[in-house]
Amino acid sequence: GYLPVGKDFPVFLHPDSREEYALARTERKTARGYHGFEVHAAPNVTLEEDLARRDLTINSIAANVRKQGFSNTFGSDFEDFEALIDPFNGQADLKAKVLRHVTAAFREDPVRILRVARFAARFADFSVAPETMQLMQAMVDDGELDALVAERVWQELARGLMEKKPSRMFEVLRACGALQKLLPEIKLNKLGSDSNLILNTAAQLDAPLPVRFACLTHDLGAELLKGVCERLRVPVDCKEMADVVAREHGNIHRSAEFDAAALTQLLERCDAFRKPQRFTDVLLACECIFRGGESGSLGSLGLEDSAYPQRTRLLGVLTAAQSVVTHLIAEQAQTDGHDGKKIGELIHAARVRAVEGFS
């Protein structure tokens, strides 16, 4: 009655609890990349052999579970477990806060480089073991990253961007040489202290993924950004957010100097009237950029010391411009015999007047 799911590394769903069960298994490398494996699952595969195929020692700890019934749901309390089984000293590495590969089989799966970097972003106080860093560097030099598919790279990068300290992911990728292979545009722009602060500020403000991706790519320029999004097959919401932020973050920073006409044009370029929620997120990204690096000395003072009044003001400007009842203007213009272009001009003029009233 168990339901098998997954193609390359199948797991089985319990017919009642829907919990995931995986058989003990080993793998044999047959080709480059994440899919280049032949999986072997059989009763004679030992638990230690299974644990040896894990990526990191902290992920290679097993536990016996006291079953009180075949369909019993496993509890989450430690009392549910008997002795831990830890043949690769994962507990010691947990205590020492070290990310260490289990065996040389680590090098057979290039996704593990991205996973180590993502774990570094999640557990910011953990270090990567020197021998693991050397192994990742050797994998990069051997061209293993070339076999990664775009969707898998984006999946890991997206998850890393959503971790507690996303800058750590890029620091680890750069240290092993993977960043230059996967995101040469970011390497070209010399990911430095400002970019790290921007990403970490976005995490502290609990920003959604499109905002964090926009923070990462805000200074790439249109052509480089387009290349990144196409190569990694970045989702539309992240791509569009990054594009608006890359084009307009400087104008949003300087928006206090704009008159009503310039403010209205800014809203229109950002498509704020059709997508007000996205514009709200655009402003959040700009706040992260300002606080993290483009505020000059403010970037090092901490969140509480670097206000970003542009965000509040522009949201007020948008609300004022949204008060214009566009369909009434369009109906009157059509009655007067005007075409679509003229109607757009009349609506724009009415929004400028509304923004003047707000200012």
Side-chain angles (χ1 to χ4, degrees):
Y2 280 70
L3 176 67
V5 294
K7 180 180 178 182
D8 298 295
F9 305 108
V11 297
F12 301 87
L13 301 183
H14 189 283
D16 298 322
S17 69
R18 315 305 285 178
E19 287 183 323
E20 295 184 0
Y21 288 77
L23 301 178
R25 60 187 186 257
T26 57
E27 302 155 356
R28 183 171 65 87
K29 186 73 168 174
T30 59
R32 285 186 181 272
Y34 178 65
H35 296 289
F37 291 95
E38 182 180 280
V39 178
H40 172 68
N44 63 347
V45 177
T46 67
L47 178 59
E48 182 167 337
E49 287 174 328
D50 179 85
L51 293 176
R53 58 166 289 279
R54 311 289 173 173
D55 50 5
L56 299 173
T57 59
I58 63 172
N59 292 333
S60 300
I61 307 170
N64 285 319
V65 179
R66 298 170 180 166
K67 295 184 179 178
Q68 298 178 359
F70 184 71
S71 62
N72 180 50
T73 299
F74 294 173
S76 59
D77 295 333
F78 187 77
E79 289 75 17
D80 292 332
F81 298 109
E82 294 177 354
L84 292 177
I85 301 166
D86 183 17
F88 300 103
N89 300 313
Q91 294 175 86
D93 282 338
L94 275 175
K95 185 176 181 180
K97 298 184 176 181
V98 174
L99 302 174
R100 190 190 314 276
H101 69 283
V102 179
T103 69
F106 178 99
R107 71 175 302 144
E108 296 177 351
D109 185 358
V111 172
R112 290 176 169 176
I113 295 175
L114 289 162
R115 279 175 51 80
V116 170
R118 175 163 60 82
F119 269 82
R122 178 182 297 179
F123 305 114
D125 54 346
F126 277 56
S127 62
V128 179
E131 61 269 31
T132 301
M133 182 63 74
Q134 291 174 4
L135 182 57
M136 294 194 298
Q137 290 170 339
M139 292 169 66
V140 172
D141 294 340
D142 195 38
E144 273 287 338
L145 290 179
D146 298 337
L148 285 177
V149 297
E151 291 85 355
R152 198 70 174 92
V153 174
W154 169 253
Q155 182 183 45
E156 291 296 327
L157 289 177
R159 293 176 71 179
L161 282 169
M162 292 305 295
E163 297 291 4
K164 181 179 179 181
K165 194 173 182 181
S167 67
R168 284 270 287 144
M169 174 173 63
F170 296 98
E171 290 170 358
V172 170
L173 291 177
R174 182 170 61 177
C176 71
L179 187 63
Q180 188 172 7
K181 293 279 189 178
L182 299 173
L183 277 172
E185 298 87 353
I186 301 298
K187 180 71 173 180
L188 181 65
N189 281 267
K190 298 179 181 178
L191 186 75
S193 59
D194 285 355
S195 296
N196 289 345
L197 284 169
I198 291 168
L199 285 175
N200 295 337
T201 299
Q204 290 178 41
L205 293 178
D206 199 25
L209 176 60
V211 170
R212 299 192 192 199
F213 179 67
C215 287
L216 174 67
T217 60
H218 75 279
D219 64 346
L220 291 187
E223 287 304 312
L224 288 179
L225 176 59
K226 180 181 178 182
V228 169
C229 292
E230 289 180 351
R231 189 176 67 254
L232 297 183
R233 300 180 186 176
V234 174
V236 173
D237 59 341
C238 293
K239 177 182 176 181
E240 291 183 348
M241 173 74 67
D243 179 64
V244 174
V245 171
R247 284 190 289 106
E248 301 293 347
H249 69 275
N251 289 324
I252 289 172
H253 290 342
R254 296 187 296 271
S255 59
E257 307 167 6
F258 290 2
D259 60 16
L263 288 170
T264 305
Q265 291 169 353
L266 175 62
L267 296 178
E268 291 169 345
R269 291 197 305 273
C270 293
D271 205 8
F273 298 108
R274 287 198 318 124
K275 300 180 179 180
Q277 181 54 55
R278 190 185 70 180
F279 182 65
T280 299
D281 287 341
V282 166
L283 294 178
L284 176 58
C286 291
E287 180 172 1
C288 295
I289 294 167
F290 180 84
R291 290 184 171 190
E294 294 192 352
S295 57
S297 61
L298 289 177
S300 62
L301 296 180
L303 296 180
E304 68 278 6
D305 296 315
S306 50
Y308 193 68
Q310 295 94 324
R311 184 181 176 191
T312 302
R313 181 168 181 263
L314 286 175
L315 288 175
V317 169
L318 176 60
T319 300
Q322 286 174 323
S323 68
V324 173
V325 184
T326 57
H327 73 89
L328 293 179
I329 295 175
E331 290 171 2
Q332 183 60 52
Q334 288 173 339
T335 300
D336 296 338
H338 296 303
D339 60 11
K341 181 179 179 181
K342 181 62 177 179
I343 292 172
E345 293 173 354
L346 292 171
I347 290 173
H348 173 78
R351 286 170 170 167
V352 170
R353 290 194 295 272
V355 171
E356 285 175 343
F358 171 81
S359 301

